[in-house]
């Protein structure tokens, strides 16, 4: 009787011989890097609770051997502005930052998602050229547009002495800060969301079109719900970039307390000669609370959004 032999198929991907990120040495290295990364933040937290005399006379690490903490710095910064230009405290400036950041994030991500859907699923001439142009616009620095935008807002657009566009007259308002953030956020947002939207199942969208749904209904009922992980991930980045911005606010907000964001107030807290340096640490600690809340509230979408569109299902 013949003897049957069975050949085992070789795996398509050979198993790796080592796992560097699960070895004790790699784990120790990552732990050390993470601890070193958090040292400046720990110093910021400790310095926020020290008195001015201790800050100027010794390093923050000495507080562990001779602990002496106070809340006077937070009271001065939050309630009285720390003796800086904003005597009403930091709360109104935080509200201004939210009034700048939230609409700018919503507009840039909203328009970016619509543009990504149009470029991915609505065929039209030169769509690839438009996509490549958006990708190229990411290399244009924001600083190049400050003077033209400021001129456009103040005096409009003139060509050979003829008024082409009237002045918008929005310098010193919140809209003047929204416009640059949305304009310069759109290329990157559209590019990243396009990678996710183009990876959605074609059969799902075609089935909706067969059932009589138009592009708006497909976008609202299918693309928008399925894109929530990518939207949350991009929104976190946009929120952090706009919240931490100083240059755009400094140029377009007009420097008045009515529309000045938190970053503009932070720049004035230390005084002209750094005489009020003890105000900077508690103010900086306060300024990162809201971004941390946003990050941790959207954290479950963050990794899924970063990997979105990277693998085809």
């Amino acid at each position: 009787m013949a003897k049957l032999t069975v050949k085992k198929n070789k795996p398509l991907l050979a198993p790796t011989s080592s796992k560097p990120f699960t070895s004790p040495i790699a784990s120790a290295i990552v732990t050390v890097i993470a601890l070193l990364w958090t040292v400046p933040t720990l110093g910021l937290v400790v310095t926020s609770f020290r008195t001015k005399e201790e800050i100027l006379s010794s390093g923050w690490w000495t507080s562990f051997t001779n602990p002496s903490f106070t809340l006077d710095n937070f009271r001065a910064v939050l309630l009285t502005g720390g003796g800086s230009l904003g005597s009403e405290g930091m709360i109104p400036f935080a509200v201004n930052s939210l009034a700048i950041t939230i609409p700018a994030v919503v507009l840039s991500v909203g328009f970016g998602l619509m543009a990504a859907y149009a470029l991915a699923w609505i065929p039209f001439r030169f769509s690839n050229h438009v996509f490549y142009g958006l990708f190229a616009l990411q290399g244009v620095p924001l600083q190049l547009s400050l003077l033209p935008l400021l001129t456009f807002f103040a005096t409009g657009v003139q060509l050979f002495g003829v008024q082409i566009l009237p002045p918008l007259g929005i310098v010193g308002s919140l809209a003047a800060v929204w416009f640059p953030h949305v304009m310069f956020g759109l290329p990157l947002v559209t590019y990243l969301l396009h990678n996710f939207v183009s990876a959605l199942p074609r059969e799902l969208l075609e089935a909706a079109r067969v059932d009589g749904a138009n592009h708006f209904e497909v976008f609202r009922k299918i693309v928008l719900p399925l894109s929530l992980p990518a939207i949350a991930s991009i929104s976190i980045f946009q929120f952090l970039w706009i919240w931490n911005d100083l240059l755009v606010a400094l140029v377009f907000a007009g420097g008045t307390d009515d529309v000045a964001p938190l970053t503009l107030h932070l720049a004035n807290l230390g005084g002209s000669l750094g005489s009020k340096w003890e105000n900077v640490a508690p103010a900086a600690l306060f300024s990162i609370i809201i971004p941390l809340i946003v990050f941790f509230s959207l954290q479950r979408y963050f990794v899924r959004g970063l990997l979105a569109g990277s693998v085809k299902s």
Side-chain angles (χ1 to χ4, degrees):
M1 186 174 180
K3 187 177 181 180
L4 297 177
T5 59
V6 180
K7 292 184 178 180
K8 295 183 179 180
N9 294 328
K10 294 182 178 180
L12 296 178
L13 295 176
T16 55
S17 58
S18 61
K19 297 179 180 180
F21 290 103
T22 57
S23 65
I25 298 178
S27 301
I29 293 175
V30 171
T31 304
V32 171
I33 293 176
L35 291 176
L36 292 176
W37 190 268
T38 57
V39 166
T41 305
L42 177 61
L44 177 68
V45 174
V46 174
T47 304
S48 302
F49 294 95
R50 305 181 74 206
T51 63
K52 179 179 179 179
E53 293 74 17
E54 292 176 339
I55 292 174
L56 297 178
S57 60
S58 60
W60 60 268
W61 52 87
T62 59
S63 299
F64 295 105
T65 57
N66 186 22
S68 176
F69 301 110
T70 179
L71 294 175
D72 292 340
N73 296 336
F74 284 96
R75 294 191 188 97
V77 169
L78 295 177
L79 301 180
T80 65
S84 63
L85 296 178
S87 57
E88 65 274 22
M90 294 184 62
I91 303 299
F93 297 97
V95 174
N96 291 342
S97 289
L98 289 174
I100 291 172
T101 305
I102 293 177
V105 171
V106 171
L107 290 174
S108 59
V109 175
F111 286 129
L113 183 61
M114 288 188 285
Y117 171 73
L119 291 172
W121 295 104
I122 302 179
F124 60 92
R125 291 188 63 184
F126 308 114
S127 60
N128 290 334
H129 296 80
V130 174
F131 179 73
Y132 297 148
L134 285 173
F135 181 76
L137 285 175
Q138 298 179 49
V140 179
L142 174 64
Q143 291 80 0
L144 290 178
S145 70
L146 296 182
L147 184 58
L149 277 178
L150 195 61
T151 305
F152 171 52
F153 293 162
T155 62
V157 177
Q158 297 182 359
L159 183 62
F160 302 111
V162 180
Q163 191 77 25
I164 306 298
L165 293 174
L168 298 182
I170 59 175
V171 177
S173 64
L174 295 176
V177 189
W178 296 338
F179 195 93
H181 284 309
V182 173
M183 181 180 64
F184 276 85
L186 270 177
L188 180 60
V189 171
T190 304
Y191 173 74
L192 295 177
L193 289 177
H194 177 272
N195 296 337
F196 180 85
V197 174
S198 61
L200 294 177
R202 177 179 294 272
E203 295 79 8
L204 185 61
L205 275 69
E206 289 179 348
R209 296 287 294 166
V210 170
D211 290 340
N214 54 33
H215 283 296
F216 177 75
E217 291 173 337
V218 172
F219 176 81
R220 182 172 61 88
K221 296 181 179 180
I222 298 178
V223 176
L224 185 59
L226 292 178
S227 303
L228 285 180
I231 291 173
S233 180
I234 298 300
S235 298
I236 290 175
F237 285 113
Q238 282 293 103
F239 189 95
L240 294 178
W241 291 334
I242 298 173
W243 179 270
N244 293 323
D245 169 74
L246 174 62
L247 180 61
V248 174
L250 194 62
V251 174
F252 295 103
T256 60
D257 291 349
D258 296 335
V259 295
L262 195 58
T263 51
L264 193 57
H265 181 65
L266 286 174
N268 298 323
L269 272 177
S272 57
L273 300 177
S275 58
K276 297 184 179 296
W277 193 85
E278 72 278 3
N279 297 327
V280 178
L285 184 61
F286 173 78
S287 68
I288 67 176
I289 292 177
I290 295 179
L292 285 177
I293 293 174
V294 172
F295 176 79
F296 286 114
S297 61
L298 300 177
Q299 186 181 17
R300 59 176 179 159
Y301 297 107
F302 187 67
V303 176
R304 290 162 53 191
L306 287 180
L307 299 177
S310 60
V311 215
K312 289 280 185 180
S313 56

